[in-house]
């Protein structure tokens, strides 16, 4: 059984995230902390915990990790493509989101601010609650800082100049990108200071044993990432080193274990969103007030699913497929991450959903010779397809391999290029790739940058990292790099300046006087 359970009850009762596998049904019933008319709330430690649980709940609806956020993060990268019949989705990777139609990106924007609002309620109300367990209070506040920081991270990263709410108010003016990043960094700093390394030992209180909550390691990792995205390589390096020095994370031996429901919350997981087929009802959370029938499952699997097993709205690029073949393992084999990342007509055969790929697609040459997503698919034989829309696979937002490669990047950028080899090789060793210090010794800083780009491309394909990397590395402003991207992914042919960000939703502009639209829209 998974670690987070949900129950939805009638009017004024809200989403409850209980991060435990053993809890009484009565414990899942709560008053809605987001309803101002409920005067009895915010009275004790249980209310405080349920309040922060509601902030976690914003991860699970359509605007965030149920469906929209992975699409927005993935589709602009050169690792994937979309031929979706739905224009709002088809146009994301072509840098052509429509200001007049806020589908997908507008839902994400709305839900990020829902999550921020819920986190702000915790930060506003919980300090005034008299709690005997001050350490529990600090952990709850630390989680609220982390969640606000993460939702704001997404908002600034995707929409650039956005409101930065740090208190409960009726109006939040648009801020600059720099102001947004500054608040993200401050929130993750606060979270890192207040959160525990683990919830399974060394603490006492209502949250003891509740795996899935934000930890010190998660806060430090995202703090480092925020510094990295703002080119502060020294502070980023120090934050990533602090994660490593916690000595609680390690790569799992089987790369694919990071993308199924069989080994969740494992040693490599720094932070992941908890989904489950067993919790709650059977309806998906499309947004708005929680309904009694909502479960806590994901639509990612059906959205990315192979032809005839899902909607096939997202597919890997041939560029990605070919790059996996550029370097063989020590044993002379293809990089094993290829088979964990995509389905294809593999010599010797490949199974998907209990079917042989070549046999199933044998009468359709276009599908037989195409590529389909495998990460986050329930495809190992237990399920026939994804058409029930209810995947229970946790979304891994931050993996330890990401910390290692980002740390290597900061070492390279701070003049310690030779030291970067060690942390890159740790990731390569898992998939039996040759020793990089032997095959490419003495790389310059510029050469190491390119190598890290290659390493990250293969390690995190279809995980929402590639376009963020492309943008922060300045490749869109580099004519040679942009032309190179166009040669790898035809969708880049329609890129124009400013379209690396999504448009500010028109509703936000209408409701927040003085809000200006992003360049290019």
């Amino acid at each position: 059984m998974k670690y987070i359970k949900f129950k939805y009850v009638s009017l004024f009762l809200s989403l409850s995230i209980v991060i435990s596998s053993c809890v009484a049904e009565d414990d899942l019933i709560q008053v809605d902390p987001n309803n101002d008319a409920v005067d009895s709330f915010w009275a004790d430690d249980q209310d405080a915990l349920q309040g922060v649980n509601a902030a976690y709940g914003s991860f699970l609806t359509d605007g965030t990790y149920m469906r929209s956020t992975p699409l927005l993060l993935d589709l602009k990268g050169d690792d994937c493509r979309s031929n979706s019949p739905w224009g709002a989705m088809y146009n994301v990777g072509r840098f052509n989101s429509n200001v007049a139609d806020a589908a997908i990106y507008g839902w994400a924007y709305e839900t990020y601010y829902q999550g921020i609002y819920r986190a702000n309620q915790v930060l506003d109300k919980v300090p005034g609650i008299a709690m005997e367990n001050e350490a529990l209070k600090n952990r709850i506040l630390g989680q609220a800082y982390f969640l606000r920081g993460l939702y704001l991270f997404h908002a600034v990263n995707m929409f650039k100049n956005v409101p930065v709410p740090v208190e409960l108010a009726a109006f939040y003016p648009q801020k600059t990108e720099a102001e947004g990043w500054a608040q993200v960094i401050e929130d993750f700093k606060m979270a890192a200071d207040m959160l525990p390394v683990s919830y399974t030992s060394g603490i006492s209180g209502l949250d003891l044993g509740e795996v899935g909550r934000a930890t010190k390691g998660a806060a430090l990792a995202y703090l480092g990432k925020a510094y990295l995205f703002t080119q502060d390589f020294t502070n980023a390096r120090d934050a990533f080193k602090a994660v490593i020095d916690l000595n609680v994370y390690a790569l799992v031996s089987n790369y694919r274990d990071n993308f199924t429901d069989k080994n969740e919350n494992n040693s490599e997981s720094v932070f992941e969103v908890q989904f489950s087929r067993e919790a709650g009802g059977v309806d998906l959370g499309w947004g708005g007030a929680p309904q009694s029938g909502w479960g806590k499952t994901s639509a990612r699997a059906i959205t990315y699913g192979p032809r005839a097993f899902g909607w096939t709205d997202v597919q890997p690029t041939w560029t990605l497929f070919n790059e996996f073949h550029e370097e063989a393992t020590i044993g002379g084999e293809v990089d094993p991450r290829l088979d964990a990342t995509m389905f294809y007509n593999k010599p010797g055969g490949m199974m998907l959903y209990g079917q042989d790929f070549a046999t199933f697609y044998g009468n359709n040459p276009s599908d037989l010779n195409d590529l389909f997503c495998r990460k986050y698919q329930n495809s190992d034989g237990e399920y026939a397809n994804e058409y029930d829309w209810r995947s229970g696979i946790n979304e891994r937002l931050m993996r330890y391999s990401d910390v290692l490669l980002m740390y290597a990047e900061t070492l390279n950028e701070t003049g310690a290029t030779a030291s970067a080899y060690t942390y890159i090789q740790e990731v390569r060793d898992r998939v039996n790739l040759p020793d990089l210090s032997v095959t490419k010794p003495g790389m310059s800083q510029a050469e190491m940058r390119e190598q890290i780009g290659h390493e990250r491309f293969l390690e995190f394909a279809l995980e929402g990292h590639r376009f963020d990397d492309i943008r922060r590395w300045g490749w869109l402003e580099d004519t040679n790099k942009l032309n190179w991207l166009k040669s790898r992914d035809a969708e880049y042919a329609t890129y124009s300046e400013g379209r690396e960000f999504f448009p500010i939703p028109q509703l936000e502009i209408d409701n927040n006087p003085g809000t200006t639209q992003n360049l290019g829209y």
Side-chain angles (χ1 to χ4, degrees):
M1 183 178 289
K2 292 207 178 177
Y3 296 97
I4 299 180
K5 283 189 174 181
F6 286 80
K7 181 179 179 84
Y8 298 94
V9 290
S10 59
L11 190 61
F12 300 141
L13 299 184
S14 178
L15 187 65
S16 173
I17 305 178
V18 179
I19 310 177
S20 172
S21 58
C22 299
V23 64
E25 286 296 305
D26 289 346
D27 293 336
L28 296 175
I29 300 175
Q30 69 172 88
V31 181
D32 183 356
N34 300 306
N35 189 313
D36 293 336
V38 182
D39 297 328
S40 62
F41 206 75
W42 306 111
D44 55 27
D45 53 358
Q46 183 68 50
D47 289 348
L49 193 66
Q50 290 175 342
V52 80
N53 288 346
Y56 280 99
S58 294
F59 281 136
L60 305 184
T61 57
D62 190 22
T64 48
Y65 281 94
M66 191 267 271
R67 183 176 61 159
S68 295
T69 292
L71 290 167
L72 298 177
L73 291 171
D74 272 328
L75 284 174
K76 289 183 177 181
D78 58 343
D79 54 339
C80 61
R81 56 198 161 102
S82 178
N83 287 308
S84 173
W86 183 15
M89 192 179 299
Y90 175 91
N91 283 322
V92 170
R94 291 165 176 80
F95 304 92
N96 197 30
S97 294
N98 190 342
V99 175
D101 179 7
I104 304 180
Y105 75 84
W107 303 335
Y109 187 98
E110 176 186 358
T111 312
Y112 300 151
Y113 282 96
Q114 177 196 75
I116 290 169
Y117 176 75
R118 291 175 175 181
N120 278 339
Q121 283 194 308
V122 175
L123 294 170
D124 181 73
K125 304 295 186 182
V126 169
I129 298 176
M131 294 171 58
E132 292 184 5
N133 191 334
E134 282 296 315
L136 172 61
K137 177 185 279 192
N138 281 338
R139 291 195 298 272
I140 290 170
L141 292 171
Q143 290 171 78
Y145 279 117
F146 175 85
L147 294 169
R148 186 174 73 180
L150 185 51
Y151 290 124
L152 187 56
F153 182 105
H154 284 318
V156 176
N157 186 43
M158 291 187 193
F159 297 94
K160 192 176 182 179
N161 301 320
V162 297
V164 182
V166 292
E167 58 186 12
L168 299 176
F171 172 73
Y172 305 103
Q174 187 179 36
K175 299 290 187 177
T176 66
E177 183 182 12
E179 289 173 310
W181 281 121
Q183 187 59 52
V184 169
I185 288 168
E186 184 61 29
D187 281 349
F188 287 140
K189 281 182 178 179
M190 292 292 292
D193 287 341
M194 303 176 82
L195 290 174
V197 173
S198 169
Y199 290 84
T200 57
S201 63
I203 67 169
S204 64
L206 295 173
D207 55 351
L208 176 62
E210 296 187 343
V211 176
R213 294 188 181 277
T215 61
K216 180 181 290 292
L220 287 169
Y222 270 102
L223 175 61
K225 188 171 182 177
Y227 279 133
L228 187 65
F229 277 35
T230 55
Q231 309 294 302
D232 185 346
F233 299 114
T234 300
N235 276 321
R237 178 199 63 198
D238 294 347
F240 295 135
K241 185 61 162 60
V243 178
I244 294 168
D245 288 347
L246 291 174
N247 293 315
V248 296
Y249 302 108
L251 302 184
V252 294
S253 59
N254 182 0
Y255 177 76
R256 182 158 163 72
D257 277 354
N258 291 304
F259 316 108
T260 74
D261 61 1
K262 298 299 187 294
N263 190 16
E264 297 175 329
N265 302 296
N266 60 47
S267 64
E268 188 168 342
S269 175
V270 181
F271 187 69
E272 62 189 72
V273 175
Q274 310 288 312
F275 289 106
S276 173
R277 289 177 62 90
E278 285 73 47
V282 296
D283 298 330
L284 291 173
W286 295 110
Q291 302 299 309
S292 60
W294 282 11
K296 61 184 289 280
T297 51
S298 166
R300 178 196 249 269
I302 187 172
T303 305
Y304 287 60
R307 191 94 61 217
F309 300 98
W311 299 131
T312 324
D313 287 317
V314 180
Q315 294 178 257
T317 60
W318 282 98
T319 289
L320 177 62
F321 178 85
N322 292 334
E323 197 156 327
F324 270 117
H325 290 83
E326 288 183 1
E327 183 181 21
T329 67
I330 293 172
E333 300 171 331
V334 176
D335 188 326
R337 291 174 297 188
L338 171 64
D339 287 6
T341 300
M342 65 182 77
F343 293 110
Y344 61 100
N345 189 12
K346 180 182 179 180
M350 173 174 275
M351 300 296 291
L352 75 169
Y353 295 92
Q355 306 286 331
D356 175 69
F357 186 103
T359 303
F360 187 82
Y361 293 120
N363 294 325
N364 189 329
S366 62
D367 286 342
L368 181 65
N369 296 297
D370 210 343
L371 306 173
F372 303 106
C373 299
R374 187 177 187 186
K375 282 184 178 178
Y376 292 110
Q377 294 292 309
N378 298 281
S379 54
D380 294 340
E382 185 177 352
Y383 300 97
N385 54 54
E386 301 290 351
Y387 288 123
D388 67 354
W389 288 77
R390 298 184 64 249
S391 175
I393 301 174
N394 287 1
E395 187 87 15
R396 280 69 160 186
L397 302 195
M398 177 69 72
R399 296 196 283 117
Y400 187 53
S401 62
D402 197 5
V403 172
L404 293 172
L405 290 182
M406 288 190 291
Y407 182 55
E409 183 177 345
T410 61
L411 290 173
N412 184 52
E413 296 299 334
T414 54
T417 299
S419 298
Y421 280 96
T422 299
Y423 299 94
I424 295 172
Q425 194 58 43
E426 189 170 343
V427 177
R428 290 167 60 87
D429 282 344
R430 169 169 52 191
V431 290
N432 205 29
L433 290 177
D435 189 335
L436 193 62
S437 66
V438 174
T439 59
K440 293 185 177 182
M443 280 189 282
S444 67
Q445 186 183 60
E447 290 170 335
M448 182 61 82
R449 285 192 191 113
E450 293 298 309
Q451 185 66 35
I452 289 171
H454 166 76
E455 301 290 345
R456 291 185 61 80
F457 186 58
L458 300 187
E459 176 70 15
F460 305 116
L462 309 176
E463 294 183 55
H465 296 298
R466 178 60 172 180
F467 182 71
D468 282 348
D469 289 343
I470 287 170
R471 184 178 57 198
R472 68 186 178 82
W473 288 332
W475 288 1
L476 298 174
E477 292 77 48
D478 183 324
T479 301
N480 291 332
K481 277 293 189 182
L482 181 56
N483 288 336
W484 178 72
L485 288 168
K486 290 177 180 178
S487 73
R488 292 162 63 86
D489 182 354
E491 293 177 333
Y492 275 81
T494 49
Y495 167 74
S496 60
E497 183 182 1
R499 292 295 180 113
E500 61 269 29
F501 295 101
F502 290 97
I504 302 295
Q506 188 60 47
L507 186 62
E508 173 70 18
I509 294 175
D510 293 342
N511 290 339
N512 256 355
T515 301
T516 60
Q517 186 55 273
N518 284 330
L519 175 69
Y521 292 97

